[in-house]
Structures are given as C-alpha cells and as structure tokens.
Amino acid sequence: MILIDGKKVAAELRKELKQEVTELKAKHNKVPGLTVILIGDLTPSQIYVKNKEKSANEVGLKSEVIKYPDSVEEKTVLEKIQDLNNDETVSGILVQLPLPKHIDKQKVIEAIDPSKDVDGFHPMNVGNLSSGYESSIPCTPLGCYLLIKKFEPNLSGKKAVVVGRSNLNGKPMTQLLLKENCTVTITHSKTKDLKAECLEADIIVAAVGIPELVRGDWVKKDAIVIDVGINKTDNGIVGDVHFDEVSKNAKALTPVPGGVGPMTIACLLKNTIDCFKRSQI
Ligand code: NAP
C-alpha cells in the first residue's frame, strides 16, 4: 500500500505557488491579497485562520485577518464584505465558518463577489463548477482531487464512490470526478448498503464525520482511498476510514492527519492566486 503524503504534496504545491507569486509580482508590480474575516473566538476557527495566515505569508501573498466579536451585527459584516469587494488590493475573501447563529450564512456567502470567492461556495461558482465552466473550487475537494491526480493521472472510466453529500465536500468532489470521466456514485446517510457501494469503487472519497466508518472489508483490492474526515476521539484525531484495516487492502490511502488537511490550505492559496490572475486579464 502506498501512503499518499498530503504534507509532501502540499509543500511542493506551496513551493510552486511561491514561485508564481514572485513572477506575478515582477509582471504586475503587485501581489495577490487574501482577506479572512473571523467572527467570534471558537478555538478551532482561530487555529485554522492562524494557519491560513501563516501559509499565505510564506508564499508571499498579502494577507489580512479582520476579527469581529461574536456579537457583531450581520449588517456590519455585509458592509465590510462590500468594501472588500471594491478593494482592488484584495483578490480573495474568505469568511471563516461556522458563524454565530444570528448571522445568515447564505447571505454572507452570496455577498462575496464570486470573482473573489476563494472558498468556492457562492452559488455562481457552484453552478459554474457543475456546468464545467471555470470557477473557484472548494479547497478541500480540490485538494483531494490534486492528490488523486498526482497518484493516478488518468481517471477516465474509473468507478468512484463519494461518501457524504455536503456542499463543502461531497457534492463538489463528485463534480471534479465527473469532469475526469469517472462514473460517480454519491452516497449519504440514507444509502441502503454503503459497504456494497464502496466495494464497487476504484476510488473512494470519504467525507462523513464518523470515525473509522469505512472498514477494511468495504474496500476492494487496488482501490485509491481518500480520507477527508477529521474526528476527535479518545484515541486522538482519526479519519472516516479505518486506517489499519483499509491499508491492508487499498492500493493507496491518505493518512489522518497529514493527508487531505495540508492540501486544503495550500488550495486556498492556489485559489487566491487564481482569482488574482483572472482579475488581471
Ligand atoms: P457534513 O456537512 O456533516 O456532511 C456529512 C455527510 O455525511 C452528509 O452528506 C451525510 O448524509 C453523510 N453521512 C452521515 N452519516 C452517514 C452514514 N452513516 N453513511 C453515509 N453517509 C453519511 O460534513 P462535512 O462538512 O462534509 O465534513 C465531513 C468530514 O470532513 C468531517 O469529519 C470534517 O471534520 C472533515 N473535514 C475535513 C477537512 C479537511 O481539510 N481535511 C475540511 C472540511 C471537513 P446526509 O446528507 O444524508 O445527512
């Protein structure tokens, strides 16, 4: 079994992005800018945002974090997004989720100019992705896609099973695999026989949020298995895939941590640079 080392692939991608930022700076005399809005003091969100800022700085992006207390009014956030939409030095805007209950997530997502939507959550980008047009692609599925492609460049005709149908992961993942001419099955909590579906798959992407749901005898020999899950358990952080069991069957598997996670942040940087490049045309 081959361990798909997301840490290594993400480091390679960051190196390429750093080079690209240097070239863009020489050509345009400015660098792409990423602005993150962080509301409240949830510890995981603070850690994510800190890591995003650190990585953005590392590759040479202009990076800014705007912080609001939990009590901030929705109107204030929407007005700030409008300002950022109009600010030419800002290439990408990300509002860290989850949001406090009194703020309408969909309103916030739709307030972001689709051309600066580095999360790829705006309905315009969701539509463009599913129609096969150029769009920002949500960072985690984009990271999964790049890992799969690195390992197996030609996916045409492969059978893929995506476990989970969230807007964040499962649905965009399905679109990316379809674009590569995979035959894709998307499964969810009402799927009758998940094991039988997984056993058909050449590629499994698990994005569920249930520790070690995908077992060794669910995976056919030579499958590529991508584990998106990050689950806190008494035994530490585990994925949605039973690593020890599945590693005995699969051809390739991502570890948790060190698989999809590092790719997510690298893809946020990639999306910011891509938004900048499109804005310069
Ligand atoms: P989510 O929004 O909670 O969606 C979970 C999906 O799993 C839903 O579609 C749900 O089906 C499905 N599901 C639940 N129980 C199931 C079962 N028994 N069998 C099959 N499907 C089932 O989760 P998410 O935001 O996509 O996140 C999934 C996991 O990825 C979490 O562990 C999260 O922490 C992790 N994550 C990791 C990264 C990263 O960078 N690595 C980024 C984001 C998320 P229904 O639609 O029927 O409810």
Side-chain angles (χ1 to χ4, degrees), residues 7 9-26 30-34 50-64 91 118 262-274 276:
K7 237 174 157 175
V9 180
E12 286 163 8
L13 177 57
R14 285 198 305 273
K15 199 172 158 202
E16 285 167 26
L17 295 174
K18 191 172 179 177
Q19 178 61 30
E20 200 172 0
V21 172
T22 307
E23 287 164 15
L24 288 170
K25 191 175 176 184
K30 53 187 173 183
V31 293
L34 171 66
K50 218 176 190 164
N51 288 339
K52 286 169 183 173
E53 195 181 18
K54 186 170 157 254
S55 301
N57 288 329
E58 241 174 63
V59 303
L61 300 182
K62 180 174 139 324
S63 149
E64 175 192 28
S91 326
V118 281
M263 288 300 288
T264 296
I265 294 190
C267 286
L268 170 66
L269 310 177
K270 175 175 164 42
N271 280 352
T272 306
I273 294 167
D274 288 346
F276 174 85

Side-chain angles (χ1 to χ4, degrees), residues 179-245:
K179 237 175 154 176
E180 289 294 320
N181 297 319
C182 289
T183 302
V184 190
T185 301
I186 185 159
T187 63
H188 45 77
S189 67
K190 308 291 185 290
T191 296
K192 287 257 163 60
D193 190 346
L194 188 57
K195 176 180 172 180
E197 299 292 347
C198 288
L199 271 170
E200 295 284 313
D202 302 309
I203 300 163
I204 298 174
V205 181
V208 189
I210 299 180
E212 301 177 328
L213 174 73
V214 177
R215 308 300 301 238
D217 60 353
W218 292 25
V219 175
K220 77 174 181 189
K221 282 257 178 256
D222 290 344
I224 300 170
V225 182
I226 306 292
D227 189 352
V228 179
I230 302 177
N231 306 295
K232 252 190 186 169
T233 70
D234 294 343
N235 300 323
I237 302 281
V238 301
D240 290 342
V241 174
H242 196 297
F243 186 88
D244 289 344
E245 288 182 10

